Amino acid sequence: MHKANITKAIARFLAIAVIFFAGLRSYAATLYKSGVTASYYADKFHGRKTSSGEIFNMYGYTAAHKTLPFGTMLRVTNLANGNYVTVKVNDRGPFVKGRELDVSKAAAVKLGMIKTGTAKVKIEILEKGEASAEGNSGTTASGGNSQGTSQKQTQVKLEKGAYYDIQLGAFSKKENAVNLAQKLLRAGFKNVSYQKTQTATRVSVTKVPAENVRQMQKELSAKGFTQQVVRKRKTK
């Protein structure tokens, strides 16, 4: 009887240990990138919707990244002073060439980069968020504002001499369309237009010649605008 109790106790201990160490492993830091540039954003965007649908709070510990899934937990270390902070990815950006991450003001304070504005950092993944069908819009499809477009790019046969529009999002709320258009403009894209339908406001890069469409799609994807629908224009 005594042996049986000991055996059960050992089994329970081992089960608890397995769960404990499995949990530790899920939060183990995995180096993502080092020596990359981080910047921060604050007052101008405080209170606005992020690309995940959450409201941006500059006093919270969050970050924007072009491709990492929303909900991903990162440890960011300032290589100049050793300061580090844990942030959650809940937005898309930065759309400035050469920058890898935008952190909230609170995170920037912890990193000691308020005065410099940018810093060379090391980024480690503590926990990766779940990939989801998401827009680049200031809201998510699950929030009911993006009108059923897939993250997968649509490929159409391009006709020589024709012009095309590349749709990056479609929204039932115009404020979300405006947010996306502003992001596209900040990222350096031109001919950004709204196209109103009966149920939604589309945001597109318009009047792209057939021979430039594929290159434009690559440039959009490189800056995090991966939700693309290509449509041939009826007129130039």
Side-chain angles (χ1 to χ4, degrees), residues 6 13 40-41 50 59 75 106 128 157 162 169 171 175 179 191 199 212 215 219:
I6 292 175
F13 172 78
Y40 77 93
Y41 60 138
T50 66
Y59 303 111
R75 181 161 64 209
K128 202 159 188 180
K157 187 176 180 180
F171 308 91
E175 65 180 284
N179 286 339
N191 293 333
T199 58
N212 296 340
Q215 181 59 36
E219 291 176 12

Side-chain angles (χ1 to χ4, degrees), residues 70-85:
F70 295 138
T72 296
M73 301 301 296
L74 303 175
R75 181 161 64 209
V76 184
T77 304
N78 187 336
L79 296 176
N81 57 24
N83 292 0
Y84 64 90
V85 66

Side-chain angles (χ1 to χ4, degrees):
M1 185 74 176
H2 185 63
K3 276 188 176 182
N5 288 337
I6 292 175
T7 302
K8 287 181 180 179
I10 291 172
R12 280 198 298 270
F13 172 78
L14 290 174
I16 292 170
V18 166
I19 294 170
F20 175 76
F21 285 110
L24 280 182
R25 190 168 73 173
S26 68
Y27 284 89
T30 302
L31 179 63
Y32 179 66
K33 288 185 180 181
S34 187
V36 294
T37 301
S39 49
Y40 77 93
Y41 60 138
D43 308 72
K44 185 179 177 181
F45 300 95
H46 184 66
R48 292 188 183 183
K49 276 191 177 182
T50 66
S51 295
S52 68
E54 296 180 6
I55 300 300
F56 174 64
N57 178 8
M58 66 181 183
Y59 303 111
Y61 294 98
T62 59
H65 191 270
K66 289 189 282 289
T67 58
L68 286 172
F70 295 138
T72 296
M73 301 301 296
L74 303 175
R75 181 161 64 209
V76 184
T77 304
N78 187 336
L79 296 176
N81 57 24
N83 292 0
Y84 64 90
V85 66
T86 299
V87 294
K88 181 180 78 170
V89 176
N90 74 341
D91 202 2
R92 289 292 176 239
F95 301 116
V96 177
K97 188 176 180 181
R99 295 186 187 179
E100 183 69 24
L101 196 70
D102 254 345
V103 299
S104 61
K105 185 175 182 179
V109 169
K110 275 210 165 187
L111 290 169
M113 56 179 279
I114 290 292
K115 288 184 179 180
T116 57
T118 61
K120 292 293 183 182
V121 299
K122 175 175 69 174
I123 302 172
E124 298 169 284
I125 295 176
L126 301 178
E127 182 183 13
K128 202 159 188 180
E130 294 184 7
S132 61
E134 60 191 53
N136 306 290
S137 56
T139 189
T140 58
S142 61
N145 298 316
S146 180
Q147 298 294 314
T149 48
S150 168
Q151 192 171 1
K152 184 179 179 181
Q153 298 176 10
T154 60
Q155 296 295 334
V156 298
K157 187 176 180 180
L158 303 175
E159 298 177 18
K160 189 176 180 180
Y163 285 75
Y164 293 82
D165 295 340
I166 304 175
Q167 177 186 307
L168 287 312
F171 308 91
S172 57
K173 292 184 179 179
K174 189 171 180 181
E175 65 180 284
N176 296 322
V178 172
N179 286 339
L180 175 55
Q182 289 176 344
K183 287 186 177 184
L184 285 161
L185 292 169
R186 288 198 301 270
F189 294 102
K190 298 178 181 179
N191 293 333
V192 177
S193 300
Y194 301 110
Q195 297 165 325
K196 187 73 176 174
T197 69
Q198 288 185 341
T199 58
T201 301
R202 295 173 179 169
V203 181
S204 304
V205 173
T206 61
K207 303 178 182 178
V208 183
E211 62 271 22
N212 296 340
V213 169
R214 298 300 181 228
Q215 181 59 36
M216 179 63 73
Q217 286 187 281
K218 288 179 182 178
E219 291 176 12
L220 286 162
S221 295
K223 292 192 176 182
F225 300 98
T226 54
Q227 182 174 279
Q228 302 173 9
V229 178
V230 179
R231 290 188 175 90
K232 183 182 174 184
R233 289 181 67 84
K234 293 180 181 179
T235 58
K236 183 175 176 181

